Amino acid sequence: GENVEQHPSTLSVQEGDSAVIKCTYSDSASNYFPWYKQELGKGPQLIIDIRSNVGEKKDQRIAVTLNKTAKHFSLHITETQPEDSAVYFCATNTGFQKLVFGTGTRLLVSP
Amino acid sequence: DSGVTQTPKHLITATGQRVTLRCSPRSGDLSVYWYQQSLDQGLQFLIQYYNGEERAKGNILERFSAQQFPDLHSELNLSSLELGDSALYFCASSVGSSGTKETQYFGPGTRLLVL
């Protein structure tokens, strides 16, 4: 079945630094790649997504890049702020009509 | 606030019991998805309903079942509960039938503890 690997599992940065989280997937048919942010005690919230017909998408301080040849995609957060602290999940679709999620990255932004 | 509501917020029960989790999707959304989040398994897709019909199935145990009612709310029934069923259960909704290509909006979850 589809497998999504996510790294790192934890990431600590100083406020103002950039953070990068990477995911790799195995199904070459995958064509939708969302990123979710989960704060403590809350459900995952979509922060950005990308489809396979583009290589990069940006929304203010957040960007996602996709390399379909290498089967990996990354989340980039610039000028990090303490409120960016959360668990981030990548995901992708499969031929079995479901989203498969990565194992999550706990991001801690220190003031 | 995603617009997806889930009740109850917390549930404590004993092994062997049966519980029902409830979800109301965002206004206008026809699909409901159920996920289980545990520490060792991460976020796992269980099942999807679209406009009352089962649309896709994931790693859902036979002891678990779900349904979507005419008003589009959904219920997830968990029976013969085991300790390992303790987890966060999330409901998500989307507009159309293809939640693998469109945004899924997650509810706040139900935390189930089986003692």
Side-chain angles (χ1 to χ4, degrees), chain B residues 17-36:
Chain B
Q17 294 299 304
R18 172 190 169 94
V19 297
T20 297
L21 313 183
R22 183 188 169 103
C23 167
S24 292
R26 292 188 325 151
S27 177
D29 284 359
L30 297 179
S31 274
V32 168
Y33 310 80
W34 286 97
Y35 291 87
Q36 180 191 58

Side-chain angles (χ1 to χ4, degrees), chain B residues 33-71:
Chain B
Y33 310 80
W34 286 97
Y35 291 87
Q36 180 191 58
Q37 186 176 42
S38 59
L39 284 175
D40 58 342
Q41 293 290 322
L43 201 57
Q44 299 281 321
F45 168 70
L46 295 178
I47 197 164
Q48 175 199 356
Y49 277 81
Y50 172 71
N51 205 21
E53 299 290 325
E54 183 183 304
R55 179 76 178 181
K57 219 166 184 176
N59 303 321
I60 188 166
L61 300 171
E62 284 191 13
R63 300 182 286 110
F64 296 0
S65 66
Q67 59 185 130
Q68 187 179 28
F69 295 87
D71 66 352

Side-chain angles (χ1 to χ4, degrees), chain A:
Chain A
E2 174 67 76
N3 186 38
V4 179
E5 292 188 6
Q6 184 171 345
H7 299 281
S9 56
T10 58
L11 181 58
S12 294
V13 300
Q14 291 292 122
E15 182 176 0
D17 288 349
S18 294
V20 180
I21 303 170
K22 298 181 180 180
C23 288
T24 60
Y25 61 98
S26 57
D27 188 350
S28 57
S30 294
N31 58 12
Y32 176 58
F33 307 89
W35 284 90
Y36 283 85
K37 174 184 180 182
Q38 186 175 19
E39 296 176 330
L40 197 61
K42 296 185 178 180
Q45 177 188 11
L46 181 78
I47 55 173
I48 194 167
D49 59 13
I50 192 169
R51 286 172 171 77
S52 59
N53 55 343
V54 297
E56 184 173 359
K57 184 176 178 180
K58 191 172 180 180
D59 183 4
Q60 299 182 348
R61 298 185 297 108
I62 294 173
V64 57
T65 58
L66 171 65
N67 183 328
K68 285 215 75 180
T69 303
K71 295 199 188 105
H72 66 71
F73 57 113
S74 300
L75 177 70
H76 305 253
I77 305 174
T78 59
E79 299 172 27
T80 53
Q81 300 166 4
E83 50 265 39
D84 293 330
S85 296
V87 179
Y88 291 81
F89 292 94
C90 63
T92 187
N93 55 351
T94 75
F96 298 101
Q97 290 279 77
K98 65 177 184 178
L99 281 181
V100 177
F101 286 79
T103 48
T105 296
R106 185 174 300 277
L107 174 64
L108 177 60
V109 181
S110 303

